[in-house]
Short mmCIF file of all heavy atoms in Angstrom, two decimals:
data_model
loop_
_atom_site.label_atom_id
_atom_site.label_comp_id
_atom_site.label_asym_id
_atom_site.label_seq_id
_atom_site.Cartn_x
_atom_site.Cartn_y
_atom_site.Cartn_z
N PRO A 20 79.70 2.52 31.23
CA PRO A 20 79.98 1.57 30.15
C PRO A 20 78.73 1.05 29.45
O PRO A 20 78.72 0.88 28.22
CB PRO A 20 80.74 0.45 30.85
CG PRO A 20 81.34 1.08 32.04
CD PRO A 20 80.36 2.12 32.48
N LYS A 21 77.67 0.77 30.20
CA LYS A 21 76.45 0.25 29.59
C LYS A 21 75.86 1.27 28.61
O LYS A 21 75.50 0.91 27.48
CB LYS A 21 75.43 -0.08 30.67
CG LYS A 21 74.12 -0.62 30.11
CD LYS A 21 73.11 -0.88 31.22
CE LYS A 21 71.78 -1.31 30.66
NZ LYS A 21 70.78 -1.52 31.74
N GLU A 22 75.75 2.54 29.05
CA GLU A 22 75.17 3.56 28.18
C GLU A 22 76.05 3.80 26.97
O GLU A 22 75.53 4.00 25.85
CB GLU A 22 74.97 4.85 28.98
CG GLU A 22 73.86 4.80 30.02
CD GLU A 22 74.24 4.06 31.28
OE1 GLU A 22 75.45 3.81 31.53
OE2 GLU A 22 73.34 3.71 32.05
N ARG A 23 77.34 3.74 27.16
CA ARG A 23 78.25 3.93 26.02
C ARG A 23 78.10 2.79 25.01
O ARG A 23 78.10 3.01 23.81
CB ARG A 23 79.69 4.02 26.52
CG ARG A 23 79.97 5.31 27.29
CD ARG A 23 81.32 5.28 27.98
NE ARG A 23 81.47 6.45 28.82
CZ ARG A 23 81.98 7.60 28.43
NH1 ARG A 23 82.41 7.73 27.17
NH2 ARG A 23 82.08 8.63 29.23
N ARG A 24 77.95 1.58 25.54
CA ARG A 24 77.80 0.42 24.66
C ARG A 24 76.49 0.48 23.87
O ARG A 24 76.44 0.06 22.72
CB ARG A 24 77.86 -0.85 25.51
CG ARG A 24 77.90 -2.15 24.69
CD ARG A 24 78.10 -3.35 25.58
NE ARG A 24 77.00 -3.58 26.50
CZ ARG A 24 77.02 -3.35 27.79
NH1 ARG A 24 78.11 -2.90 28.37
NH2 ARG A 24 75.97 -3.60 28.56
N LEU A 25 75.45 1.01 24.49
CA LEU A 25 74.15 1.06 23.82
C LEU A 25 73.99 2.27 22.89
O LEU A 25 72.99 2.36 22.18
CB LEU A 25 73.03 1.10 24.88
CG LEU A 25 72.88 -0.17 25.71
CD1 LEU A 25 71.85 0.03 26.82
CD2 LEU A 25 72.46 -1.34 24.83
N SER A 26 74.95 3.17 22.90
CA SER A 26 74.90 4.35 22.03
C SER A 26 75.45 3.99 20.65
O SER A 26 76.36 3.17 20.52
CB SER A 26 75.72 5.48 22.63
OG SER A 26 75.19 5.91 23.86
N ASP A 27 74.86 4.61 19.62
CA ASP A 27 75.34 4.40 18.26
C ASP A 27 76.55 5.26 17.93
O ASP A 27 77.26 5.00 16.96
CB ASP A 27 74.20 4.71 17.28
CG ASP A 27 73.03 3.74 17.45
OD1 ASP A 27 73.26 2.53 17.28
OD2 ASP A 27 71.94 4.20 17.76
N GLY A 28 76.76 6.29 18.71
CA GLY A 28 77.91 7.18 18.52
C GLY A 28 78.14 8.01 19.78
O GLY A 28 77.20 8.20 20.57
N ILE A 29 79.37 8.43 20.00
CA ILE A 29 79.71 9.25 21.18
C ILE A 29 80.46 10.48 20.71
O ILE A 29 81.40 10.40 19.92
CB ILE A 29 80.56 8.46 22.17
CG1 ILE A 29 79.85 7.19 22.65
CG2 ILE A 29 80.94 9.32 23.38
CD1 ILE A 29 80.67 6.28 23.53
N ILE A 30 80.02 11.63 21.21
CA ILE A 30 80.69 12.90 20.91
C ILE A 30 81.30 13.40 22.20
O ILE A 30 80.59 13.70 23.17
CB ILE A 30 79.70 13.94 20.36
CG1 ILE A 30 79.15 13.47 19.00
CG2 ILE A 30 80.36 15.30 20.21
CD1 ILE A 30 78.05 14.34 18.43
N HIS A 31 82.63 13.48 22.26
CA HIS A 31 83.36 13.99 23.43
C HIS A 31 83.56 15.49 23.22
O HIS A 31 84.50 15.92 22.55
CB HIS A 31 84.69 13.27 23.60
CG HIS A 31 84.56 11.80 23.82
ND1 HIS A 31 84.26 11.26 25.08
CD2 HIS A 31 84.62 10.74 22.99
CE1 HIS A 31 84.18 9.95 24.98
NE2 HIS A 31 84.40 9.60 23.73
N ASN A 32 82.68 16.30 23.80
CA ASN A 32 82.65 17.73 23.56
C ASN A 32 83.49 18.49 24.60
O ASN A 32 82.98 18.99 25.57
CB ASN A 32 81.20 18.22 23.58
CG ASN A 32 81.10 19.71 23.37
OD1 ASN A 32 81.98 20.32 22.79
ND2 ASN A 32 80.03 20.28 23.85
N ARG A 33 84.79 18.55 24.35
CA ARG A 33 85.70 19.20 25.30
C ARG A 33 86.05 20.63 24.92
O ARG A 33 86.52 21.40 25.74
CB ARG A 33 87.00 18.41 25.43
CG ARG A 33 86.84 17.02 25.97
CD ARG A 33 88.19 16.35 26.10
NE ARG A 33 88.09 15.02 26.65
CZ ARG A 33 87.99 13.92 25.93
NH1 ARG A 33 87.94 14.01 24.60
NH2 ARG A 33 87.88 12.73 26.49
N GLY A 34 85.89 20.97 23.63
CA GLY A 34 86.52 22.21 23.21
C GLY A 34 85.67 23.17 22.40
O GLY A 34 84.55 23.50 22.80
N SER A 35 86.16 23.55 21.24
CA SER A 35 85.64 24.65 20.47
C SER A 35 84.41 24.26 19.67
O SER A 35 84.10 23.10 19.45
CB SER A 35 86.69 25.16 19.52
OG SER A 35 86.95 24.19 18.50
N ARG A 36 83.71 25.30 19.17
CA ARG A 36 82.55 25.11 18.31
C ARG A 36 82.97 24.40 17.01
O ARG A 36 82.29 23.49 16.54
CB ARG A 36 81.93 26.47 18.00
CG ARG A 36 80.75 26.43 17.07
CD ARG A 36 79.50 26.12 17.81
NE ARG A 36 78.34 26.20 16.97
CZ ARG A 36 77.11 26.12 17.41
NH1 ARG A 36 76.88 25.95 18.70
NH2 ARG A 36 76.09 26.20 16.61
N ALA A 37 84.09 24.83 16.44
CA ALA A 37 84.57 24.23 15.20
C ALA A 37 84.89 22.76 15.44
O ALA A 37 84.58 21.89 14.60
CB ALA A 37 85.79 24.97 14.67
N GLY A 38 85.50 22.47 16.56
CA GLY A 38 85.82 21.09 16.90
C GLY A 38 84.55 20.25 17.06
O GLY A 38 84.50 19.11 16.63
N LEU A 39 83.53 20.85 17.67
CA LEU A 39 82.27 20.15 17.87
C LEU A 39 81.60 19.83 16.52
O LEU A 39 81.03 18.75 16.35
CB LEU A 39 81.34 20.98 18.74
CG LEU A 39 79.98 20.34 19.07
CD1 LEU A 39 80.16 19.03 19.82
CD2 LEU A 39 79.14 21.31 19.92
N GLU A 40 81.68 20.74 15.57
CA GLU A 40 81.11 20.48 14.26
C GLU A 40 81.79 19.28 13.62
O GLU A 40 81.11 18.43 13.03
CB GLU A 40 81.28 21.71 13.37
CG GLU A 40 80.38 22.87 13.77
CD GLU A 40 80.49 24.05 12.82
OE1 GLU A 40 81.00 23.86 11.71
OE2 GLU A 40 80.06 25.13 13.20
N GLY A 41 83.11 19.18 13.74
CA GLY A 41 83.82 18.04 13.18
C GLY A 41 83.43 16.74 13.86
O GLY A 41 83.23 15.71 13.19
N LEU A 42 83.31 16.77 15.18
CA LEU A 42 82.93 15.57 15.91
C LEU A 42 81.52 15.13 15.58
O LEU A 42 81.25 13.95 15.44
CB LEU A 42 83.02 15.87 17.43
CG LEU A 42 84.43 16.06 18.03
CD1 LEU A 42 84.32 16.62 19.43
CD2 LEU A 42 85.21 14.76 18.00
N THR A 43 80.63 16.09 15.43
CA THR A 43 79.25 15.78 15.06
C THR A 43 79.18 15.17 13.67
O THR A 43 78.46 14.18 13.42
CB THR A 43 78.36 17.04 15.11
OG1 THR A 43 78.42 17.57 16.43
CG2 THR A 43 76.92 16.73 14.75
N ARG A 44 79.95 15.70 12.75
CA ARG A 44 79.96 15.18 11.39
C ARG A 44 80.46 13.73 11.38
O ARG A 44 79.88 12.86 10.77
CB ARG A 44 80.86 16.06 10.52
CG ARG A 44 80.81 15.68 9.02
CD ARG A 44 81.59 16.67 8.19
NE ARG A 44 83.01 16.68 8.55
CZ ARG A 44 83.60 17.67 9.20
NH1 ARG A 44 82.92 18.77 9.55
NH2 ARG A 44 84.87 17.62 9.50
N ARG A 45 81.54 13.47 12.11
CA ARG A 45 82.10 12.11 12.12
C ARG A 45 81.19 11.13 12.84
O ARG A 45 81.09 9.97 12.42
CB ARG A 45 83.50 12.12 12.75
CG ARG A 45 84.57 12.78 11.89
CD ARG A 45 85.95 12.51 12.40
NE ARG A 45 86.21 13.14 13.70
CZ ARG A 45 86.63 14.41 13.83
NH1 ARG A 45 86.80 15.17 12.76
NH2 ARG A 45 86.87 14.89 15.02
N ALA A 46 80.55 11.56 13.94
CA ALA A 46 79.72 10.64 14.73
C ALA A 46 78.36 10.41 14.10
O ALA A 46 77.75 9.37 14.34
CB ALA A 46 79.55 11.20 16.14
N LEU A 47 77.92 11.35 13.27
CA LEU A 47 76.52 11.27 12.83
C LEU A 47 76.30 11.67 11.38
O LEU A 47 75.82 10.87 10.60
CB LEU A 47 75.69 12.18 13.77
CG LEU A 47 74.20 12.22 13.51
CD1 LEU A 47 73.59 10.83 13.62
CD2 LEU A 47 73.52 13.17 14.46
N LEU A 48 76.66 12.89 11.02
CA LEU A 48 76.25 13.41 9.73
C LEU A 48 76.87 12.65 8.56
O LEU A 48 76.24 12.52 7.52
CB LEU A 48 76.60 14.90 9.64
CG LEU A 48 75.80 15.81 10.61
CD1 LEU A 48 76.31 17.22 10.53
CD2 LEU A 48 74.30 15.73 10.33
#
């Protein structure tokens, strides 16, 4: 919980490359 609270964004990378691109865009880009 502490590390999650101190993070500016969290990417839960459970699946596909395409899914990861979408998660990265929403969390950061």
